[in-house]
Amino acid sequence: MAKLNVEIVTPERRMAQLSADEVIAPGAEGLFGVRPGHTPYLSLLQPGALTVRDGGNKTVYFVAGGFVEAGPQAVRVLADSAEVAAN
């Protein structure tokens, strides 16, 4: 099965660069999910939980606003600030 290339970046540093099956982001219009093959999409981020799932593993990051760019093979999160909330 195809994977998403996920990158989470803040102004200070690159928080994460990993492969995932799904990303759930807190967009300006509410939560939205991205899986491989997703239509290109750009959204503002609201402060909240960004969930990255890979198989049975789930990592949750808290993002404090920014932007998310989604596409068929990648998700790029440009967050004002971010930190790992839970594994």
Side-chain angles (χ1 to χ4, degrees):
M1 181 176 177
K3 296 277 190 176
L4 289 169
N5 295 317
V6 180
E7 184 176 23
I8 302 171
V9 179
T10 70
E12 292 81 29
R13 66 187 175 109
R14 179 184 292 162
M15 282 283 302
Q17 186 166 7
L18 50 129
S19 293
D21 295 319
E22 180 181 39
V23 175
I24 301 171
E29 300 294 322
L31 291 175
F32 68 94
V34 179
R35 291 186 176 169
H38 197 280
T39 301
Y41 185 72
L42 179 65
S43 177
L44 288 170
L45 280 175
Q46 295 295 321
L50 176 87
T51 305
V52 179
R53 293 186 182 168
D54 187 29
N57 299 324
K58 175 174 87 168
T59 304
V60 179
Y61 298 87
F62 176 80
V63 293
F67 297 90
V68 62
E69 177 186 15
Q73 300 171 343
V75 175
R76 181 173 295 122
V77 177
L78 304 172
D80 294 338
S81 66
E83 57 186 72
V84 176
N87 259 345

